[in-house]
Amino acid sequence: MLSPLLWLLVTIAVASARPQGLQQDDTALLQFKTLITGCDLSSWTGKPCTGAAWTGVVCQNGRVNRIHMNSMGCQGQINTRYLPDELTYFSASSNSFTGSVDFTNLPAKLDVFLMRSNQLTGSVDLRSLPSIRHLDLTSNQLTALQFPDSLPSSLDHFVIGHNSFQGAFPFSALPIGLHSLEIQANRFTGSINSVNRLPSNLRALVAHDTLLSGDVILADLPRQMTTLNFNTCPGLTGDLDFKGLPPTLQYLHLHGTRFSGDFNGNGALKHVPTGMVQMDVSDNPRVGGTPDLEELKDHSKLTHIWLYSNALTGTPDFTKLPAKLSHVLCV
């Protein structure tokens, strides 16, 4: 016979367990609905996969597979316990959801979880994150992150910018297959160096307006990277070595860092990848030399280049700037 304490623990475990099975999708979502106001979910009645269609709910093989609730004016809280266990996609961005999200109760098969532009608060515990591929919590009011030793190897988009996170960002926990990392406008500290290397498959790193520090070696960036944004990270230093940039780089933003170099050396514009679209190396008072604008003649995709507030030793010859680029330069 179970002791009273053990019986209580079993009762709590059963009460908090995720509803399972085909017959539970409607029951679970109706419970999920009870905490939500402000948006029209009047169609959520009956059976979601056999009766009339439910707004934002997509079924596959008789089970709820996807939920789309973007920009519906919803308020309230997200109770992940009542998300159907066959769910692979959940998106409720651009609403007014509040409170915290229990990541330990996310469905095991969930592939995409998008909660951008809400009013979520509290801590995010990623230690029980399922094999998720795309996580987006941008533009909320979240304050703390709890990381495992390593995030799921399936994760390829980790997007948590514009919150109130702080502390050392654990670059070592990132999976090697990560494609996009956005941590901008938080108070993250830490460094990126030969020890704290970025995932080798990373395509985009957006980390502007953070407290990252240390020496960045541009030649060590992942060779398939297309976007690097360190704008307004005054703790970051490094050599302005365009020669070492990944050949695939299209967006380079280093405004307000403390890079040093010379536009007549490895920082010469001729070394900028020809696929570059935007390049901002402004407000780096240790960057000197005189850029030779004629070296941009093969950069047909370039739309903007910012060079102001540097330590230029001469005035660029604007007559050498290719006519097709006359609108893109800001010195």
Side-chain angles (χ1 to χ4, degrees), residues 17 68 218 331:
H68 303 260
L218 297 180
V331 292

Side-chain angles (χ1 to χ4, degrees), residues 9-130:
L9 292 175
V10 171
T11 302
I12 292 174
V14 171
S16 61
R18 166 177 300 286
Q20 302 287 326
L22 175 63
Q23 72 279 11
Q24 296 293 344
D25 279 4
D26 57 327
T27 303
L29 285 179
L30 290 175
Q31 287 291 328
F32 177 78
K33 175 185 173 183
T34 61
L35 295 178
I36 300 175
T37 61
C39 49
D40 184 8
L41 298 179
S42 58
S43 64
W44 286 29
T45 183
K47 302 289 183 181
C49 298
T50 58
W54 288 23
T55 299
V57 175
V58 179
C59 296
Q60 183 175 348
N61 298 325
R63 297 297 308 277
V64 173
N65 177 256
R66 300 167 68 92
I67 296 177
H68 303 260
M69 300 179 66
N70 291 347
S71 305
M72 291 180 61
C74 298
Q75 303 174 21
Q77 295 186 325
I78 298 292
N79 189 335
T80 55
R81 178 191 170 206
Y82 293 112
L83 293 177
D85 59 285
E86 291 291 321
L87 194 69
T88 63
Y89 182 101
F90 179 84
S91 182
S93 296
S94 301
N95 285 290
S96 298
F97 285 112
T98 57
S100 59
V101 174
D102 182 3
F103 285 84
T104 64
N105 249 328
L106 286 174
K109 297 182 180 181
L110 193 67
D111 188 49
V112 176
F113 188 72
L114 311 177
M115 288 292 297
R116 173 186 291 258
S117 299
N118 279 281
Q119 299 169 23
L120 301 178
T121 56
S123 175
V124 177
D125 188 348
L126 300 176
R127 292 173 296 181
S128 298
L129 196 66

Side-chain angles (χ1 to χ4, degrees), residues 176-245:
I176 192 171
L178 189 71
H179 286 171
S180 181
L181 175 64
E182 297 183 24
I183 60 174
Q184 71 274 20
N186 285 289
R187 296 185 64 79
F188 284 125
T189 59
S191 62
I192 301 171
N193 50 38
S194 58
V195 176
N196 243 350
R197 288 186 180 274
L198 296 170
S200 58
N201 289 316
L202 195 67
R203 307 302 202 269
L205 171 57
V206 181
H208 63 78
D209 296 281
T210 61
L211 301 177
L212 296 178
S213 61
D215 197 50
V216 178
I217 301 174
L218 297 180
D220 282 349
L221 294 175
R223 305 321 289 168
Q224 297 175 338
M225 180 170 275
T226 62
T227 300
L228 178 67
N229 192 331
F230 282 146
N231 276 358
T232 322
C233 293
L236 291 178
T237 58
D239 291 328
L240 196 67
D241 180 9
F242 294 149
K243 201 172 183 178
L245 288 174

